[in-house]
Amino acid sequence: MKKVVIIDGRSGRTGQLFIERIKAAQLSCEIIAIGTNAIATSAMLKAGAESGATGENPVIVACRSADVIAGPIGILAADSLMGEVTPAMALAVGQCNAAKLLFPVSHCKNVVVGTQSLTLSKLMDEAVELLRTML
């Protein structure tokens, strides 16, 4: 079974919604929730992640064994998510061999040229379909 690591910060709403959609789609994968803060981790666990942890070291460790890493695009940029992503976290995500499923949310001034301006709900629908092809 493939391991999907979902990294989120702030309120954890993006990760929570993605996990809810994965569960609803009945995709066969192990979901690991890593929050940059305890609130984000809690939200993702409530959504149905199999396990979860909080902070820099769990991000680093989870990246070692992930098949897919999902989260807002800011997980690739140090100091993003209002400073919750440390340089070590961004490095771990960027250097790991896992496929990355990044949500182009613009909370941290990261803008991806060529993407559509979709609601979070529509982004999650698209992300679930992309994850289905990755699994």
Side-chain angles (χ1 to χ4, degrees):
M1 183 177 299
K2 299 247 183 175
K3 183 185 290 187
V4 178
V5 173
I6 301 173
I7 302 170
D8 199 9
R10 299 175 47 135
S11 70
R13 180 69 181 136
T14 301
Q16 177 185 24
L17 188 55
F18 189 45
I19 292 167
E20 289 170 354
R21 297 291 174 91
I22 293 170
K23 293 293 186 175
Q26 299 180 352
L27 298 185
S28 179
C29 60
E30 177 185 6
I31 301 171
I32 310 298
I34 308 294
T36 59
N37 64 63
I39 293 168
T41 304
S42 178
M44 291 187 286
L45 286 169
K46 286 178 185 172
E50 280 76 23
S51 62
T54 302
E56 180 179 88
N57 203 56
V59 168
I60 294 167
V61 171
C63 286
R64 292 179 193 150
S65 61
D67 295 300
V68 177
I69 295 176
I73 195 165
I75 63 175
L76 288 173
D79 299 331
S80 64
L81 303 181
M82 297 186 70
E84 292 183 12
V85 176
T86 68
M89 290 173 168
L91 186 65
V93 173
Q95 287 186 335
C96 77
N97 289 325
K100 291 155 190 86
L101 188 56
L102 303 170
F103 311 131
V105 291
S106 60
H107 297 156
C108 301
K109 299 181 185 176
N110 295 313
V111 178
V112 179
V113 175
T115 59
Q116 299 172 350
S117 180
L118 301 174
T119 64
L120 188 56
S121 181
K122 294 269 190 212
L123 280 174
M124 293 305 113
D125 290 340
E126 186 175 324
V128 167
E129 290 310 309
L130 287 169
L131 180 59
R132 185 184 312 278
T133 65
M134 293 174 159
L135 298 176

